[in-house]
Amino acid sequence: MSHVLHRSLTHTYPTAVAGDGPYLIDRDGRRYLDASGGAAVSCLGHSDQEVIEAVRQQIGTLAYAHTSFFTTEVMEELADFLIARAPAGLESVYFVSGGSEAVETALKLARQYFVEIGQPGRKHVIARRQSYHGNTLGALAAGGNAWRRQQFQPLLIDVSHVSPCYAYREQQAGESDEHFTTRLAQELETEILRLGADQVMAFVAEPVVGATLGAVPAVPGYFRKIREVCDRHGVLLILDEVMCGMGRTGSLFAAEQEGITADLITIAKGLGAGYQPIGATLLSGRIRDAIAQGSGFFQHGHTYIGHATACAAALAVQKAVEQRGLLDRVNQLGDSLQAKLVERLGQHPHVGNIRGRGLFRGIELVADRESKTPFAPELKLHARFKKRAMELGLLCYPMGGTLDGQRGDHILLAPPFILDDSHLDEIVEKLSDTLDAVVASR
Ligand code: PLP
């Protein structure tokens, strides 16, 4: 019996022993094409020699130095690299070990900022339904995934949740993009006013919603209106790019494509591409200056923040993405993947919607296309999909509860940026075979 407390205590996991480009290999020699990068992590695949060498060199020189005593060259260089490419106004980086820590950091920075500038009444966070921001208590409270929150509800801080920008289900028939986005921005403003404009500290949103909705980009113009509402009421905008950032959706920062900037941006996943655990929170000069000119001390910290080896991995990953021109590749491959998915599955009676941006794609499954009726949750179609796909040698990220935490199923795809066309064909082929098998056996 394993002494590991695995995610599921009823499931037996194959043992992964090696990586080979976009494939993972188990102890029995079975190869799995990683079409979800784990959970949108492995953007360079599983055997990138340049990154591996950078990690080796860093460990050989300096593995770790606690950030209360030292800074390190590699952490400074990584921060310079990110800030040089970040949306306007973002001027500092706080390095952590993953996405949840990045979100916790953003929430604490927002709160401390308002304390520093003499607005201690600002304490409320507003986020969106059907979002995911992490599993630590602050991040879980921010997230709007009913299923993940349910049993921990008594431990969570109060967060308001407004509607997501989820056109497939929330844009009314005949409603223009303009009307839809204005309606959503008004909903946010109404909630700010209900809570008291001087009581709200931040609005949190994923530019392209990942795990909970399945690669849903916002309707054009939505984020500009949201930014205006936040600015009107002095509310900070936190963009959670843990999944959709770092090139995943075709630009280094997803916010770039919305034509806005944020006060805080969280990143992780593709930052270190799985070669080391690392995340980060980018913050505006305004927030940094308020702390610098106030208490002079951000009251936060973990043992492994700014870990030198993790920073070395991330720096090597980000240089590789840039020097190999992989952002262009993400856009080309993303368009091609979308076209192939639409060609193969677009008319499938149980595919309701195929969406996404760059190499971040979602397929929403439905029992009936016309009425968009989801499958019965008891069928656990998403879980069966994942199992069957793995049997066919494909890793993808299906989730249930797309509509409301209970009903709905989608499949999230977030493959490495290093694929060629034959890999795209393999993904589409195996997805199609999986879907037919799962629907037939329900
Ligand atoms: N934020 C978003 C948008 C995510 O997708 C995730 C993880 O999937 C997180 C935060 C939490 O990141 P982590 O699992 O690294 O803590």
Side-chain angles (χ1 to χ4, degrees), residues 21 44-53 275 316 320 324 326 418:
L44 292 182
H46 296 279
S47 54
D48 194 286
Q49 291 309 308
E50 254 175 59
V51 180
I52 292 167
E53 189 47 39
Y275 288 90
R324 296 177 202 168
L326 290 178
I418 54 161

Side-chain angles (χ1 to χ4, degrees), residues 33-74:
L33 178 54
D34 189 358
S36 59
V41 172
S42 303
C43 59
L44 292 182
H46 296 279
S47 54
D48 194 286
Q49 291 309 308
E50 254 175 59
V51 180
I52 292 167
E53 189 47 39
V55 169
R56 259 198 206 111
Q57 278 203 10
Q58 185 64 47
I59 292 188
T61 315
L62 170 74
Y64 164 76
H66 195 282
T67 48
S68 74
F69 301 100
F70 294 104
T71 187
T72 56
E73 285 169 359
V74 68

Side-chain angles (χ1 to χ4, degrees), residues 90 106-107 110 113-114 125-128 188 192 200-207 222-231 233-241 255 258-266 281-284 286-287:
L90 295 166
L107 295 173
Y113 167 73
F114 285 117
V125 176
I126 305 177
R128 302 188 298 179
L188 172 62
I192 291 173
V200 180
M201 68 177 197
F203 176 63
V204 190
E206 297 162 77
Y222 167 81
F223 273 106
R224 273 199 299 281
K225 290 180 186 169
I226 291 295
R227 177 81 257 188
E228 280 164 23
V229 170
C230 288
D231 288 347
H233 299 290
V235 171
L236 297 178
L237 176 60
I238 302 175
L239 290 182
D240 184 351
E241 299 202 4
E258 305 303 334
I260 57 154
T261 189
D263 302 290
L264 294 142
I265 292 186
T266 55
T281 306
L282 284 76
L283 53 140
S284 67
R286 183 161 61 112
I287 296 175

Side-chain angles (χ1 to χ4, degrees), residues 39 98-101 103 132-135 206 211 240 242-243 268-269 397:
S100 302
E101 284 185 13
V103 171
Y132 181 58
H133 297 298
N135 260 334
E206 297 162 77
D240 184 351
V242 164
M243 255 201 185
K269 307 233 184 216
Y397 190 169

Side-chain angles (χ1 to χ4, degrees), residues 65-238:
H66 195 282
T67 48
S68 74
F69 301 100
F70 294 104
T71 187
T72 56
E73 285 169 359
V74 68
M75 176 167 70
E76 297 291 342
E77 192 182 343
L78 179 59
D80 291 346
F81 185 102
L82 292 170
I83 291 303
R85 290 155 184 79
L90 295 166
E91 291 180 10
S92 295
V93 190
Y94 190 88
F95 289 109
V96 292
S97 302
S100 302
E101 284 185 13
V103 171
E104 296 292 334
T105 301
L107 295 173
K108 280 200 173 169
L109 277 168
R111 171 65 188 162
Q112 189 170 334
Y113 167 73
F114 285 117
V115 172
E116 301 276 5
I117 66 166
Q119 297 184 29
R122 288 196 187 260
K123 56 184 179 297
H124 288 297
V125 176
I126 305 177
R128 302 188 298 179
R129 286 187 280 109
Q130 299 309 96
S131 58
Y132 181 58
H133 297 298
N135 260 334
T136 50
L137 292 177
L140 187 64
N145 181 313
W147 168 72
R148 293 189 201 248
R149 294 167 54 93
Q150 201 175 17
Q151 68 174 323
F152 301 108
Q153 188 71 49
L155 308 184
L156 303 181
I157 56 164
D158 238 357
V159 172
S160 304
H161 292 101
V162 294
S163 303
C165 190
Y166 176 23
Y168 175 61
R169 288 193 182 272
E170 308 241 344
Q171 190 166 9
Q172 287 152 11
E175 187 179 29
S176 67
D177 285 359
E178 176 61 27
H179 189 273
F180 180 44
T181 53
T182 300
R183 176 162 67 82
L184 295 177
Q186 277 169 355
E187 185 185 339
L188 172 62
E189 187 153 31
T190 303
E191 184 57 15
I192 291 173
L193 295 172
R194 188 187 73 81
L195 292 164
D198 59 350
Q199 304 284 303
V200 180
M201 68 177 197
F203 176 63
V204 190
E206 297 162 77
V208 182
V209 185
T212 304
L213 276 186
V216 174
V219 168
Y222 167 81
F223 273 106
R224 273 199 299 281
K225 290 180 186 169
I226 291 295
R227 177 81 257 188
E228 280 164 23
V229 170
C230 288
D231 288 347
R232 205 156 38 242
H233 299 290
V235 171
L236 297 178
L237 176 60
I238 302 175

